[in-house]
Amino acid sequence: PYDAVRIQNTAIPATEYTHLQSWIRTLDSTQTDKLSIFEQTTVLALWWFAQSDVDVAVVEVGMGGLRDATNVFSSVRNGIGSLVQCICPVDEDHLGMIGNNIEEIALEKSGIMRPGSWIVVANQERSEAFHKIRQEAHRTSPGRIINVRRQPTTDIHVPNFVIDSSDVPGHVRASSELPSWATFKGTGKRCLRVKYPPSPETYLKSTKPKEPQSKQPTKSKTEVDLPLELPGYYQAGNASVAFYALDVLRTHYGFTRLTDSAIQVGFQNVRWPGRLSWLNIAHRALIPGASDARSESPNDTVSERLYEWVLADGAHNEPAAVELRKYVDTTLRRISQQRYIRMARSRSSGTVCVRWVVGFTQGKDMRAILARLVQPGDIVWAVPFDQPKEMPWISCERPEQIAQTARAVSGIRVETFDCLKDAVDRLSACSADTYLNVVCGSLYLVANVFREFQIQPFPNK
């Protein structure tokens, strides 16, 4: 669990984690109201950040918001407190635990908002969620709301894209190499083009009554292209939230080193293992960044490459399954196109389908997730995952129950495995190119896959 607590991408040392954990548990044993394991871990992380003199901590809520252990920060006083709160897309995740409908869930997530702080609201697909979040934002911190949906952003390909990182410490990490069918197609670099106002007050046009136009000419918006290293169409929305949060830090809290170039370098170096991650099972390696990577050789054939790869994604709810299926469909189209172009298609080769290696946490709506993922011709391998450390409340669904649900949804071929290792061994032995291998259903399962392949998701510097 300590690998989730990091400073500058370096995890807290295991010995220090163990020492702090023991100290916190000793203190907790003297209290009447005991902390949960997650609360203890949250205390440990925040203590380590404070002792390490971090300037800004990015803290992700565990579940919900209002009643979550991470929701302990005060409003900003003298530059200290919760500077920016980001509300990402809200859907019916954890239904029944943090709310019985989308409005209740949105209200729970809005509980992280603080008076006087800035609130960045992502584009919301569910109108009920958007209206509830907007209502709470205007009630909590009126005049300090950035609605990403109203900001001018475009997901585009930029020819001859170059980052001027001469004034930025560190380095720009190059895109990793992937087979060409696993990359986004287009001319140039996939980027998010954002326009932001020289004056942050311009953000507030949508929340203030219109004023008479000044005779003074207004400054035009500033434009910057931010590289999108993470695959998936939805990542442009996440990137928008991240950019406007960073823009608030530099325009309102004095983080002047957050120049456009520095933000571009950060976007170029971003990694998110377990979300549309390509794993090379032949070389036991994580290949991060699939937005514009190049194939290793222009003469690669699909038949020589496909079986060596696994796509790992932690999709564990219906909206995430929808996005995963979109990405898989795009990949399948690329494979088909390359087979046609390279004349690799024959009557005997058939259509490439998907082998879904799935595992779920108990309580998940497996039927809804599988209905979004599985299509005729696909096969499903149902597997368990190991019990996560320090998370006794998490239990995996039995493979037999997953198989029963999968057959009821699609009527396709299903196999069960007693342990993940058996499935991984079967994948490693496969030498056919008729299936695209995808592991999904749980981040705990994806973490198991990384361990089985001995892959470090976040190599320390």
Side-chain angles (χ1 to χ4, degrees):
Y2 61 85
D3 62 354
V5 183
R6 294 175 171 269
I7 296 177
Q8 298 292 86
N9 199 35
T10 301
I12 181 174
T15 53
E16 188 166 1
Y17 179 89
T18 302
H19 172 73
L20 287 175
Q21 185 183 59
S22 176
W23 174 60
I24 290 169
R25 287 179 176 176
T26 300
L27 291 177
D28 187 47
S29 66
T30 65
Q31 306 300 311
T32 302
D33 296 325
K34 306 299 181 186
L35 297 177
S36 68
I37 294 176
F38 183 74
E39 288 170 335
Q40 292 175 4
T41 303
T42 302
V43 172
L44 184 155
L46 298 181
W47 176 266
W48 187 55
F49 291 160
Q51 294 301 302
S52 302
D53 294 325
V54 299
D55 297 307
V56 175
V58 179
V59 181
E60 181 182 9
V61 169
M63 184 172 68
L66 177 63
R67 293 169 290 173
D68 190 75
T70 60
N71 193 27
V72 294
F73 301 97
S74 64
S75 299
V76 181
R77 294 186 181 89
N78 299 321
I80 299 175
S82 184
L83 306 179
V84 188
Q85 299 92 54
C86 301
I87 309 294
C88 294
V90 175
D91 213 297
E92 293 181 344
D93 201 16
H94 305 300
L95 189 66
M97 301 182 70
I98 59 174
N100 296 315
N101 53 56
I102 192 68
E103 289 188 336
E104 291 183 4
I105 293 173
L107 181 62
E108 181 78 12
K109 289 181 177 289
S110 299
I112 66 172
M113 298 176 183
R114 291 292 183 271
S117 297
W118 281 84
I119 303 166
V120 180
V121 182
N123 185 33
Q124 303 291 328
E125 295 291 335
R126 302 289 295 269
S127 60
E128 315 98 296
F130 172 73
H131 291 306
K132 177 57 68 174
I133 293 168
R134 184 176 62 177
Q135 176 185 342
E136 289 302 305
H138 281 287
R139 183 184 65 81
T140 304
S141 194
R144 291 178 171 245
I145 306 159
I146 300 175
N147 179 5
V148 169
R149 185 170 64 175
R150 293 181 178 272
Q151 305 306 321
T153 61
T154 311
D155 186 351
I156 62 172
H157 281 82
V158 180
N160 304 317
F161 176 80
V162 177
I163 297 176
D164 179 11
S165 58
S166 57
D167 61 338
V168 182
H171 67 284
V172 179
R173 186 182 304 166
S175 295
S176 302
E177 292 187 341
L178 284 165
S180 54
W181 46 261
T183 67
F184 278 89
K185 295 299 180 185
T187 303
K189 176 81 174 179
R190 184 186 176 218
C191 289
L192 178 73
R193 176 164 293 173
V194 297
K195 296 182 179 180
Y196 60 94
S199 169
E201 281 69 32
T202 311
Y203 282 134
L204 311 179
K205 280 186 176 180
S206 61
T207 62
K208 290 183 177 180
K210 291 185 177 180
E211 299 177 357
Q213 291 187 351
S214 171
K215 294 182 180 180
Q216 297 292 330
T218 58
K219 294 183 180 179
S220 60
K221 290 180 179 292
T222 302
E223 185 176 270
V224 60
D225 292 328
L226 305 171
L228 292 175
E229 281 296 304
L230 300 178
Y233 299 108
Y234 64 95
Q235 292 295 359
N238 290 334
S240 299
V241 173
F243 170 77
Y244 288 112
L246 292 170
D247 196 45
V248 165
L249 290 180
R250 65 183 178 180
T251 55
H252 288 278
Y253 297 111
F255 289 90
T256 56
R257 292 174 66 185
L258 284 174
T259 61
D260 284 352
S261 294
I263 294 175
Q264 286 179 316
V265 170
F267 271 62
Q268 178 73 34
N269 293 342
V270 71
R271 298 294 181 264
W272 196 351
R275 293 293 188 187
L276 298 179
S277 295
W278 287 101
L279 311 180
N280 188 303
I281 60 179
H283 299 95
R284 305 277 170 136
L286 167 66
I287 312 296
S291 62
D292 69 338
R294 300 293 182 260
S295 67
E296 294 182 1
S297 167
N299 296 319
D300 283 346
T301 63
V302 174
S303 61
E304 293 172 338
R305 305 290 300 171
L306 183 57
Y307 64 86
E308 294 184 357
W309 297 88
V310 169
L311 178 63
D313 189 86
H316 59 275
N317 54 38
E318 191 175 358
V322 170
E323 295 299 331
L324 174 57
R325 185 70 226 194
K326 286 181 186 177
Y327 183 76
V328 166
D329 286 340
T330 300
T331 302
L332 293 176
R333 284 194 297 270
R334 295 191 194 111
I335 294 172
S336 178
Q337 290 166 359
Q338 290 194 23
R339 284 188 164 185
Y340 181 81
I341 293 170
R342 294 172 179 173
M343 302 180 69
R345 173 176 291 179
S346 66
R347 290 185 179 180
S348 60
S349 65
T351 302
V352 175
C353 296
V354 184
R355 179 188 288 114
W356 300 97
V357 183
V358 297
F360 296 101
T361 302
Q362 288 185 3
K364 292 294 181 179
D365 191 345
M366 297 186 295
R367 187 181 187 90
I369 295 170
L370 290 169
R372 293 289 189 176
L373 292 176
V374 182
Q375 293 186 2
D378 294 351
I379 62 174
V380 171
W381 287 5
V383 299
F385 56 77
D386 295 339
Q387 177 63 43
K389 293 181 180 180
E390 300 183 15
M391 293 184 177
W393 60 90
I394 297 294
S395 297
C396 70
E397 191 61 78
R398 294 184 303 108
E400 294 76 17
Q401 186 61 48
I402 298 173
Q404 181 180 342
T405 304
R407 292 188 185 101
V409 168
S410 58
I412 49 100
R413 183 158 61 92
V414 182
E415 294 186 49
T416 60
F417 293 81
D418 293 332
C419 65
L420 176 63
K421 186 179 185 303
D422 292 343
V424 167
D425 290 342
R426 279 273 298 277
L427 282 180
S428 299
C430 289
S431 59
D433 67 337
T434 54
Y435 288 99
L436 176 67
N437 300 312
V438 183
V439 177
C440 65
S442 168
L443 285 167
Y444 305 116
L445 173 62
V446 170
N448 270 190
V449 171
F450 276 69
R451 286 193 291 270
E452 286 294 337
F453 286 125
Q454 299 179 345
I455 295 171
Q456 290 292 330
F458 284 108
N460 284 333
K461 297 179 181 178

